[in-house]
Amino acid sequence: LYLLIWRSKQKKKCLKIMSQAMEEKHVVTEDFYDSVMDRESKTTTTIGNGVSLPHGSPTAVNESKVGIAILKNPIMWDNEQVQVVFLLAFRLSTRDEISRIQMFYKEYVTLIDSEEKLEKLKEYEIKH
C-alpha cells in the first residue's frame, strides 16, 4: 500500500505518477499504465463522494497492491470531482489472491461508507 500526496490537475497525470511509483517498486510492469488508460477509456471509474477506483490488467501486475493518492485539491475525473484515488493492481491467478481481493473490497467498503471516514482519510499524510 503506497500513499502519494501531490498537486495534480489532470486525471492522466495522476494515473501516470501512481503507475510509475508502482512500477519503480516492481509491483506492476511497464504495460500497467497503458492498461489503466485503456480501461479508463471504456467507462469512468468514479464511484461518488470524490473517490475513484481505477485498475489495470491483471497480466501487467507482479504483486497485488493498492496505490492510494490523496490529492490536496480535487481534480475533474470525467464528469466528477475526485480527491481520493485507489489504483488497484490485482493479480487473479490463484484462489488465495482472489480471497485477498475479496477481503480488500469488504474493508474498502467500510472505509468509504461515511463522509466522516472519507474526511479523516483526506486529512491523512505520511511524513517522509
Side-chain angles (χ1 to χ4, degrees), residues 11 15 19 31-47 52-58 60 77-78 86-89 105:
K11 172 175 94 167
L15 291 171
S19 295
D31 298 325
F32 184 72
Y33 171 74
D34 288 337
S35 74
V36 170
M37 295 311 295
D38 181 55
R39 170 68 180 83
E40 286 292 316
S41 72
K42 293 178 176 143
T43 186
T44 187
T45 54
T46 58
I47 60 168
S52 183
L53 201 63
H55 60 280
S57 171
W77 200 281
D78 301 323
F86 293 89
L87 179 57
L88 309 181
Y105 279 111

Side-chain angles (χ1 to χ4, degrees), residues 8-20:
S8 179
K9 295 182 180 175
Q10 299 176 357
K11 172 175 94 167
K12 186 175 180 177
K13 183 176 181 180
C14 173
L15 291 171
K16 182 72 168 176
I17 291 168
M18 293 180 77
S19 295
Q20 284 177 334

Side-chain angles (χ1 to χ4, degrees), residues 16 19 22 24 28 41 48 58 60 63 108 119-120 122:
K16 182 72 168 176
S19 295
M22 294 176 96
E24 287 170 9
V28 299
S41 72
E63 182 182 0
Y108 169 78
E119 287 306 314
K120 284 183 182 179
K122 289 175 187 176

